[in-house]
């Protein structure tokens, strides 16, 4: 028998703003859109600009898939009663809510581990090997991986079989996130939220030594300030979520009503992981995008191409004669060029000495006389009239 207590005692409570469908949809869709933009820009810079992808980019890519599935599940859960009292839901709505909550919760648990792994692996690129911070990072990466795997298994396999979570309302073979008893159920959520907040704090503190390191430029310090500022928002959402979980004992106090007390924790979980993705992505793509010359991308260079036709001296008269009646277009130009070429070839043919000697027998003597005349003129140094 379930240890959870259901009652109508809280039906007179005012509806929180976090329970309104427009609030849930607005926060989830907006957060997912911003997360997609930042992660895609990060991956673009790593793969196409600097061409230096790493394991942290793999974690970010898997995170994006997880948070997308979780966001879609949360949006669908609104149609199954998220934001209303659980006892007034129809059986098909209760089942649909438990199914979508299963996907959304499991995706959130996995996403928190993946985004922390991405940040820790990213820090490995900054710190030198052998120093204390580098060894601390290795230990944190191992611990975060084990923590994420353990809670992800509890979230994705809460029952054996998994369908017992929504078919039986938590059977005998359910545990952790699917337990039918309040104590282990609440302990699972609270322990994960507490460790998650502690890890966020450590991840936020790790890059602080870079701020005081000798040789750190002002620009680097400003980027660290931005990173820490965004990390503070992530830590604030994680802390706020832990407070809401403790306040209502994971929607089990004063009565078991997950669809009524759960929305505030779900909205904060979405804000937390989306802010973490921004925190992990902006330091990667912003320095590259800010240094790009956007004018070279958006300004169109115009090129003016002109065409000139060169004529031989023997075509000057014809060019002058046809100036006012010239034709334009590729066909006319092609025809004119062909005619001029044929005319020049014909003239060159009849100016060849061999051809002229065959046509004009007196050509040899004439050429000899002309050559003699030119020689005499050169010797005399002045022009003379010579009769041939």
């Amino acid at each position: 028998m379930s240890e959870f207590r259901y009652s109508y005692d809280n039906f007179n409570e005012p509806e929180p703003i976090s329970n309104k469908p427009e609030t849930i949809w607005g926060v989830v869709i907006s957060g997912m859109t911003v997360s997609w933009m930042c992660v895609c820009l990060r991956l673009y810079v790593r793969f196409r600009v600097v061409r230096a992808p790493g394991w942290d980019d793999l974690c970010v890519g898997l995170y994006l898939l997880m948070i997308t599935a979780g966001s879609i599940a949360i949006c669908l859960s609104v149609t199954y009663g998220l934001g209303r009292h659980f006892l007034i839901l129809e059986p098909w709505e209760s089942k649909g809510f438990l199914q979508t909550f299963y996907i959304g919760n499991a995706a959130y648990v996995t996403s928190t581990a993946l985004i922390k792994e991405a940040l820790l692996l990213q820090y490995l690129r900054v710190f030198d090997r052998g120093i204390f911070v580098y060894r601390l990072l290795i230990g944190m990466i191992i611990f975060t991986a084990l923590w994420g795997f353990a809670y992800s298994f509890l979230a994705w396999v809460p029952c054996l079989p998994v369908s017992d979570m929504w078919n039986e309302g938590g059977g005998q073979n359910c545990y952790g996130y699917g337990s039918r008893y309040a104590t282990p159920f609440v302990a699972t959520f609270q322990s994960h939220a507490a460790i998650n907040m502690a890890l966020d704090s450590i991840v936020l503190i790790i890059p602080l030594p870079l701020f005081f390191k000798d040789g750190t430029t002002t620009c680097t310090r400003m980027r660290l300030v931005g990173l820490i500022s965004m990390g503070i928002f992530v830590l604030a959402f994680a802390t706020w979520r832990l407070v809401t979980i403790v306040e209502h004992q994971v929607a089990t106090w004063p009565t078991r009503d997950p669809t009524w007390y759960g929305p505030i924790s779900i909205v904060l979980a979405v804000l937390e992981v989306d802010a973490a993705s921004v925190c992990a992505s902006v330091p990667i793509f912003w320095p590259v995008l800010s240094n790009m010359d956007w004018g070279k991308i958006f300004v169109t260079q115009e090129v003016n191409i002109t065409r000139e036709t060169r004529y031989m001296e023997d075509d000057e008269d014809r060019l002058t004669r046809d100036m006012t009646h010239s034709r334009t277009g590729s066909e006319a130009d092609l025809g004119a060029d062909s005619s001029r070429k044929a005319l020049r070839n014909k003239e060159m043919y009849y100016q060849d000495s061999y051809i002229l000697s065959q046509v004009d027998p007196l050509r040899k003597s004439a050429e000899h006389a002309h050559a003699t005349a030119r020689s005499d003129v050169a010797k005399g140094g002045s022009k003379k009239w010579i009769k041939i």
Side-chain angles (χ1 to χ4, degrees):
M1 183 176 181
S2 176
E3 191 179 328
F4 294 124
R5 173 179 175 270
Y6 295 89
S7 71
Y8 298 92
D9 297 342
N10 64 335
F11 274 36
N12 58 348
E13 294 180 0
E15 182 184 19
I17 189 173
S18 58
N19 286 35
K20 297 181 180 297
E22 55 269 23
T23 301
I24 300 173
W25 284 332
V27 171
V28 173
I29 296 175
S30 300
M32 183 175 62
T33 302
V34 173
S35 183
W36 262 91
M37 292 174 58
C38 292
V39 172
C40 288
L41 285 172
R42 171 202 170 104
L43 296 178
Y44 172 78
V45 169
R46 279 289 179 85
F47 281 88
R48 301 299 300 274
V49 179
V50 299
R51 299 185 184 277
W55 290 106
D56 52 337
D57 299 304
L58 175 62
C59 292
V60 170
L62 294 176
Y63 152 83
L64 192 61
L65 297 178
M66 287 290 104
I67 198 59
T68 301
S71 298
I72 294 173
I74 293 171
C75 290
L76 291 176
S77 67
V78 176
T79 62
Y80 292 114
L82 183 64
R84 295 182 288 156
H85 291 286
F86 189 76
L87 290 179
I88 66 175
L89 300 181
E90 297 292 335
W92 65 271
E93 289 179 317
S94 300
K95 181 178 180 179
F97 167 75
L98 292 174
Q99 289 175 332
T100 54
F101 175 77
Y102 159 75
I103 297 175
N105 178 68
Y108 164 77
V109 172
T110 306
S111 298
T112 56
L114 288 172
I115 202 65
K116 288 177 180 58
E117 286 289 292
L119 283 167
L120 293 171
L121 290 169
Q122 187 173 316
Y123 290 161
L124 285 179
R125 296 173 176 242
V126 179
F127 292 97
D128 298 328
R129 293 175 178 269
I131 64 176
F132 170 75
V133 178
Y134 191 89
R135 292 193 295 268
L136 175 63
L137 284 172
I138 296 297
M140 287 293 300
I141 290 172
I142 296 173
F143 177 81
T144 304
L146 295 175
W147 167 77
F149 177 80
Y151 279 92
S152 295
F153 179 83
L154 293 176
W156 288 106
V157 191
C159 300
L160 293 175
V162 176
S163 58
D164 284 354
M165 181 176 180
W166 51 82
N167 289 332
E168 303 294 334
Q172 294 295 332
N173 293 326
C174 294
Y175 43 83
Y177 290 106
S179 177
R180 60 187 300 181
Y181 300 105
T183 301
F185 179 80
V186 173
T188 303
F189 276 92
Q190 290 184 350
S191 61
H192 177 270
I195 298 174
N196 177 62
M197 187 184 67
L199 291 175
D200 285 338
S201 301
I202 297 174
V203 172
L204 183 62
I205 294 173
I206 286 177
L208 286 179
L210 294 175
F211 191 87
F212 304 100
K213 183 180 180 180
D214 294 337
T216 303
T217 62
T218 303
C219 183
T220 302
R221 286 192 173 95
M222 293 301 296
R223 292 172 184 171
L224 285 173
V225 170
L227 176 64
I228 294 171
S229 300
M230 290 184 288
I232 290 175
F233 279 101
V234 177
L235 183 59
F237 289 133
T239 305
W240 190 0
R241 179 174 177 272
L242 177 60
V243 171
T244 60
I245 288 176
V246 174
E247 180 182 3
H248 291 289
Q249 295 293 296
V250 198
T252 61
W253 188 88
T255 181
R256 169 69 167 164
D257 200 346
T259 53
W260 182 259
Y261 294 122
I264 181 62
S265 300
I266 293 174
V267 169
L268 291 172
V270 171
L271 290 174
E272 176 196 347
V273 292
D274 288 338
S277 69
V278 175
C279 185
S281 301
V282 170
I284 302 298
F285 70 79
W286 183 254
V288 176
L289 295 184
S290 61
N291 293 330
M292 291 181 66
D293 189 357
W294 293 100
K296 293 182 179 179
I297 299 177
F298 296 107
V299 175
T300 301
Q301 304 290 340
E302 295 185 358
V303 179
N304 185 20
I305 301 175
T306 59
R307 182 182 61 199
E308 296 182 358
T309 304
R310 300 181 61 184
Y311 296 94
M312 304 297 292
E313 292 180 356
D314 55 357
D315 292 333
E316 290 181 354
D317 293 339
R318 181 156 47 86
L319 176 63
T320 305
R321 182 174 62 252
D322 298 338
M323 182 67 70
T324 57
H325 301 286
S326 60
R327 292 183 296 173
T328 60
S330 59
E331 182 178 356
D333 292 339
L334 182 60
D337 292 342
S338 300
S339 299
R340 284 191 294 271
K341 184 181 293 185
L343 179 61
R344 284 195 298 271
N345 292 337
K346 183 177 181 181
E347 292 174 352
M348 293 177 63
Y349 178 81
Y350 281 103
Q351 289 177 359
D352 185 79
S353 58
Y354 176 78
I355 299 300
L356 289 176
S357 64
Q358 302 300 320
V359 176
D360 186 3
L362 300 178
R363 181 66 181 171
K364 183 175 182 181
S365 59
E367 287 182 349
H368 178 73
H370 278 291
T372 304
R374 286 195 296 269
S375 176
D376 294 340
V377 170
K379 293 179 180 179
S382 61
K383 294 182 179 180
K384 297 181 180 180
W385 291 98
I386 303 173
K387 184 176 180 181
I388 299 177

